[in-house]
Amino acid sequence: MSPCDWGGYVGIELSQAMRRFGSKVSVIDRNDRLLHREDDDVTEALRRLFEDEGIDILLNAQIKRISGKSGQSVKIVLEQNGLEKTLEGSHVLVAAGRTPNTEGLGLDLAGVELTNRGYVKVNERLETTSPGIWAIGEVAGSPQFTHISIDDFRVVRDNLAGGNHVTTGRQVPFCVFTDPEFARIGLSEKEAKAQGVAYRLFKIPMEGVLRARTLSETRGFLKALVETDGDRILGFTAVAVDGGEIMSSVQIAMIAGLPYTAFRDAVLTHPTLVEGLGALFSSEPSAQNQRMRMAH
Ligand SMILES: Cc1cc2nc3c(=O)[nH]c(=O)nc-3n(C[C@H](O)[C@H](O)[C@H](O)COP(=O)(O)OP(=O)(O)OC[C@H]3O[C@@H](n4cnc5c(N)ncnc54)[C@H](O)[C@@H]3O)c2cc1C
């Protein structure tokens, strides 16, 4: 079997899974990187991981034609850097995003307006434009994660009970369940730079995490952004075995408003993966970001 796939979050999870089931897999993406909105070190780690696993990655690719029937035989003609290429395989997985299913429901008759992208228009309390009608989850344009849809439910439940629970400013953690995982909470470096937020960058390779060595799973890294005029953690990224679990430890610290020094100075059990956070926050911030801090 030889599936072709698209290079977003869903596409890369399923690409690796299908490859490990034994398929030959090609990932096709129109951007110049996998997960192109993420930091370059994340996308580069994923690229190397996929290459090592024998997954073909076709970037900057525009699909021109698809013919055949997925499940039997398919042919994809694409253009990459001005050259036309043809791929043949047995299955196509289109993981090119999801669209809200709001057509034909008569929402307009109920006075429920949509955004220009077709989502139900809501305010921060998840009220629609029609009093007494609420919307939650992906259809309301919330970030596309199960835990966010569940939180939307809590927002509406509290507001129905007379509260004033809003979605504004809530944390949006996520984990991409590749192996190793890619997990993030708070700011990435790209986001910090785009927002003009100065930060100190702490970063260590997973080889520096003793538990990763005992597991023989040393691929990846941990990194954290810490504010420059205080010790607050602004963001944390793990490309790591059980990265989602490590990230959640940092998230709890962020919720509690703990400074990064709490990890640095904590007595963490050896050898656990979370012990690696002690190593991370004991490391020196990188010179590049020290310069950026001064420039801010
Ligand atoms: C392959 C894949 C992997 C994912 N992995 C993760 C993950 O690991 N972690 C994570 O947090 N998120 C993950 N997600 C995203 C997550 O599934 C969604 O964000 C989440 O399901 C959104 O919940 P929801 O209730 O808003 O919408 P949905 O789960 O899509 O629920 C909407 C429901 O409404 C129904 N419906 C639609 N139209 C109508 C209608 N007209 N009348 C009646 N019912 C209707 C649908 O049938 C569906 O049951 C993944 C998504 C995909 C596709």
Side-chain angles (χ1 to χ4, degrees), residues 19 97 134 231 243 267 276:
R19 177 69 189 136
W134 309 71
D231 290 340
V267 180

Side-chain angles (χ1 to χ4, degrees), residues 10 13-14 98 101 105 136-138 144-147 149 177:
V10 169
E13 279 182 6
L14 289 167
R98 304 191 280 287
N101 188 13
L105 296 176
I136 65 171
E138 291 195 358
Q144 297 186 330
F145 302 108
T146 298
H147 42 279
S149 290
F177 291 95

Side-chain angles (χ1 to χ4, degrees), residues 228-241:
T228 55
D229 47 4
D231 290 340
R232 200 164 46 104
I233 302 167
L234 303 173
F236 173 79
T237 298
V239 177
V241 57

Side-chain angles (χ1 to χ4, degrees), residues 5 9-19 25 93 95 178:
D5 222 329
Y9 299 100
V10 169
I12 66 159
E13 279 182 6
L14 289 167
S15 295
Q16 189 187 44
M18 295 308 293
R19 177 69 189 136
V25 177
L93 171 67
T178 44

Side-chain angles (χ1 to χ4, degrees), residues 39 41-42 183-189 192 198-205 221-228 231-239 246-247 250-251 253-254 259-261 263 276-286 289:
D39 287 345
D41 51 5
V42 170
R184 179 154 70 78
I185 174 77
L187 288 181
S188 68
E189 288 192 76
Y199 60 93
R200 283 176 279 172
L201 180 72
F202 294 83
K203 184 172 176 184
I204 57 168
F221 59 85
L222 306 177
K223 72 172 174 179
L225 282 64
V226 172
E227 64 183 351
T228 55
D231 290 340
R232 200 164 46 104
I233 302 167
L234 303 173
F236 173 79
T237 298
V239 177
I246 305 171
M247 178 268 287
V250 179
Q251 181 185 3
M254 290 168 77
Y260 83 90
T261 49
F263 283 110
L277 295 172
L280 173 70
F281 288 113
S282 302
S283 67
E284 280 297 310
S286 80
N289 292 290

Side-chain angles (χ1 to χ4, degrees), residues 257-293:
L258 291 177
Y260 83 90
T261 49
F263 283 110
R264 185 193 67 190
D265 301 337
V267 180
L268 297 164
T269 304
H270 170 79
T272 60
L273 285 168
V274 172
E275 183 194 22
L277 295 172
L280 173 70
F281 288 113
S282 302
S283 67
E284 280 297 310
S286 80
Q288 182 196 346
N289 292 290
Q290 285 173 351
R291 274 205 302 279
M292 192 180 159
R293 175 177 40 160

